[in-house]
Amino acid sequence: MNTATPNTGEPRYAAIKRHIRRQIETGSWPVHFQVPSENQLAQEFGVSRMTARRALTELTDEGVLMRSQGLGTFVAEPVPAGSLLEVRNIADEVSARGHSYSNRILLLQECEAAADVARALGIPEGARIFHSIIVHCDNELPIQWEERFTNPGLAPDYLQQDFSATTPNAYLSRVAPLTEADTTVEAIAAKPAIAAALAIEANSACLQIWRRTKSSAGTVSFARLVHPGNRYRLGAQLRF
Amino acid sequence: MNTATPNTGEPRYAAIKRHIRRQIETGSWPVHFQVPSENQLAQEFGVSRMTARRALTELTDEGVLMRSQGLGTFVAEPVPAGSLLEVRNIADEVSARGHSYSNRILLLQECEAAADVARALGIPEGARIFHSIIVHCDNELPIQWEERFTNPGLAPDYLQQDFSATTPNAYLSRVAPLTEADTTVEAIAAKPAIAAALAIEANSACLQIWRRTKSSAGTVSFARLVHPGNRYRLGAQLRF
DNA sequence: TGTATATGGTTGTATATACAAGATAGGGGT
DNA sequence: ACCCCTATCTTGTATATACAACCATATACA
């Protein structure tokens, strides 16, 4: 008998993970609901306990479940925490959570650099730059407003990109290998335009991230990322 | 024969992880170095392949190693998150700006741990803990609300400290060398109590930082730091 | 020379089994 | 009523084994 991977292309524990995720997303299993034990899952899915266990362990590592020895396994409270290092490719981050990624392009044009933008990009005031505004969604729910100013000398094909298939950051990483970025984080009250795009109330608290990405050739891009405060958390690991 | 956990209190895979970490930290195994295979490690440490495998898998999840099927396991490039979010000593930060630092102690007492705090500190619910609230000021202007829950077993003299002369973080770093911290950042609307302490309007946007600091002996402290959004920015450097 | 093919080493998946350790409920004893 | 013990559930650790999938190299063949 075949004791290893079936030829379906998908590991068996993945099916269990998907099943559990669906129960949680549809509301069948609310927060703090005790999910079936390892042995129960093993029997239901016709796998060994170690395989069922792997599904539960991975979902626990991903923050979906909570386990405690002797008690059982429970649905954890949903916290959409993103790693600060992964903010640069938000599409991956969303799909890593098992959600669907989509975006809306609000603006995509060439214009003249205002004084502050020109200073941030290290180019003369009034030079031509690309200006884009994109709203990124996690399961159709807006989670990031991205307003970006790009140096056309370092990313000439920016306006021709299909940003429904790729994100600006993914494109920029491809054309100009990024070497460094400086970032500042602050809290702001959402202005009406942003609030409307993110489907939140005006003046509600948001995380605003300014990020300037540089390559060896100079400053490539200057972005302003706004997250609804109650829908997003930045996670960071510090080691001393 | 005993096939399960030894009574030393530490799982066997932890010893393997520690060994690998040390090789990397001392420079014996440089970046991209191919680490011993699962079978080699299993033989060296006298464990089964699955146990050695667990050590490698966990270190991979933690970003220390990289694996690829058919090729092997390699030392990953160190995550440059080190210089991230240097807010651990607000007093130094203020005086570095040439301003005067001061603080106001709003609360300093011993109490019982609520459920969520107990979970964060890894202690039983209802255990005795230290609870403090301090407002830090830059030139008399409040810039941080610090609410902190401390594990008395790891920092017994906490309540006797003179926090007008030293900050909680400085004291904790002295008594229990901190090895790690995990941090999440979010935006919130200031509740009336916090708004009053920070001299801002209620419901105005604030940066809220949750930080859990750990030493080798366990989780030392759990803090909630709230900054007025318009008076504070977090700076971070990311390197790709 | 160039192209298959075989081979051995690596990680990945899966099972069956065993024991350890924490939590809870129930049953007896005093 | 209270304490202790036990049975039984849970998750956690560990082993031995088997096969799959992938990669590189060596070998055989055209």
Side-chain angles (χ1 to χ4, degrees):
Chain A
M1 180 202 169
N2 186 354
T3 65
T5 312
N7 292 330
T8 66
E10 189 197 52
R12 300 216 216 188
Y13 64 78
I16 305 180
K17 287 178 70 175
R18 203 149 24 84
H19 171 255
I20 294 174
R21 280 209 136 96
R22 200 166 58 240
Q23 303 306 314
I24 296 174
E25 280 161 16
T26 61
S28 305
W29 294 356
V31 174
H32 295 157
F33 176 84
Q34 176 163 13
V35 317
S37 73
E38 297 176 353
N39 284 316
Q40 282 176 302
L41 284 173
Q43 196 174 359
E44 282 179 33
F45 284 84
V47 298
S48 80
R49 188 197 144 200
M50 293 310 285
T51 300
R53 174 179 179 74
R54 174 160 185 177
L56 294 176
T57 302
E58 289 197 2
L59 286 174
T60 302
D61 290 343
E62 293 163 21
V64 177
L65 301 177
M66 283 185 41
R67 324 192 72 191
S68 80
Q69 191 173 16
L71 268 175
T73 306
F74 306 87
V75 176
E77 3 220 321
V79 176
S83 156
L84 188 47
L85 299 170
E86 292 172 19
V87 178
R88 53 201 156 128
N89 45 1
I90 191 144
D92 289 351
E93 192 181 319
V94 168
S95 46
R97 286 201 285 267
H99 294 181
S100 74
Y101 169 79
S102 59
N103 63 35
R104 257 180 23 250
I105 300 172
L106 302 188
L107 189 146
L108 186 59
Q109 67 174 22
E110 190 174 350
C111 63
E112 291 182 359
D116 51 349
V117 174
R119 200 170 55 244
L121 287 178
I123 57 176
E125 188 174 344
R128 309 298 294 177
I129 56 167
F130 300 142
H131 183 200
S132 63
I133 300 179
I134 299 177
V135 174
H136 302 273
C137 300
D138 174 331
N139 277 353
E140 308 299 327
L141 188 69
I143 60 166
Q144 184 187 85
W145 157 289
E146 172 192 328
E147 181 171 17
R148 186 176 289 274
F149 303 94
T150 303
N151 187 336
L154 301 176
D157 304 326
Y158 188 78
L159 293 185
Q160 279 73 48
Q161 294 305 304
D162 175 13
F163 287 128
S164 61
T166 181
T167 62
N169 238 317
Y171 163 71
L172 292 173
S173 303
R174 206 169 57 241
V175 297
L178 305 176
T179 57
E180 208 175 337
D182 57 278
T183 306
T184 65
V185 183
E186 58 188 334
I188 60 162
K191 292 223 160 33
I194 294 180
L198 291 175
I200 57 178
E201 285 182 32
N203 293 321
S204 61
C206 289
L207 268 186
Q208 177 165 277
I209 301 167
W210 293 99
R211 175 167 299 167
R212 203 166 43 155
T213 50
K214 302 177 209 173
S215 77
S216 52
T219 301
V220 178
S221 182
F222 181 51
R224 171 198 189 190
L225 312 172
V226 181
H227 295 271
N230 56 347
R231 278 185 216 149
Y232 200 79
R233 288 184 182 175
L234 287 179
Q237 295 279 333
L238 298 190
R239 240 174 283 276
F240 299 102
Chain B
M1 179 202 169
N2 185 355
T3 67
T5 311
N7 292 330
T8 67
E10 189 196 51
R12 301 217 214 187
Y13 63 80
I16 305 179
K17 288 178 69 176
R18 220 186 19 246
H19 172 254
I20 295 174
R21 279 210 137 95
R22 200 166 58 237
Q23 302 307 313
I24 297 175
E25 282 161 13
T26 61
S28 304
W29 293 357
V31 174
H32 295 159
F33 177 83
Q34 177 163 12
V35 316
S37 73
E38 297 175 351
N39 285 315
Q40 282 175 301
L41 284 173
Q43 196 174 0
E44 282 179 32
F45 285 84
V47 300
S48 79
R49 185 194 147 204
M50 293 310 284
T51 300
R53 175 179 177 72
R54 174 159 184 180
L56 294 176
T57 303
E58 289 196 2
L59 286 173
T60 302
D61 289 342
E62 293 163 22
V64 177
L65 301 177
M66 282 184 42
R67 324 193 72 190
S68 81
Q69 191 175 41
L71 268 176
T73 307
F74 306 86
V75 176
E77 359 219 325
V79 177
S83 61
L84 192 57
L85 307 176
E86 300 276 349
V87 263
R88 54 178 189 265
N89 195 342
I90 189 127
D92 288 353
E93 194 179 316
V94 168
S95 44
R97 284 203 284 269
H99 294 182
S100 75
Y101 169 79
S102 60
N103 63 34
R104 255 180 24 247
I105 300 173
L106 302 187
L107 188 146
L108 187 58
Q109 67 173 22
E110 189 175 350
C111 65
E112 291 183 359
D116 51 349
V117 173
R119 201 171 54 241
L121 287 178
I123 58 176
E125 188 175 342
R128 310 298 294 178
I129 55 168
F130 300 143
H131 182 199
S132 64
I133 300 179
I134 299 178
V135 174
H136 302 272
C137 302
D138 174 330
N139 277 354
E140 308 299 327
L141 188 69
I143 60 165
Q144 185 188 83
W145 156 289
E146 172 193 327
E147 181 170 17
R148 186 177 288 275
F149 304 93
T150 303
N151 187 337
L154 301 176
D157 304 327
Y158 189 77
L159 294 186
Q160 279 72 49
Q161 294 305 305
D162 176 13
F163 287 128
S164 61
T166 181
T167 61
N169 236 317
Y171 163 70
L172 292 173
S173 304
R174 207 168 58 242
V175 298
L178 306 177
T179 57
E180 208 175 337
D182 56 278
T183 306
T184 66
V185 182
E186 58 189 334
I188 60 163
K191 293 225 160 31
I194 294 180
L198 291 175
I200 57 178
E201 283 182 32
N203 293 322
S204 61
C206 289
L207 266 187
Q208 177 165 277
I209 302 166
W210 293 98
R211 174 165 301 166
R212 203 167 43 155
T213 50
K214 302 177 209 173
S215 77
S216 53
T219 302
V220 178
S221 182
F222 181 51
R224 172 197 188 190
L225 312 172
V226 180
H227 295 271
N230 57 346
R231 279 185 215 149
Y232 200 81
R233 287 186 180 176
L234 287 179
Q237 294 280 331
L238 295 189
R239 238 171 289 276
F240 298 104

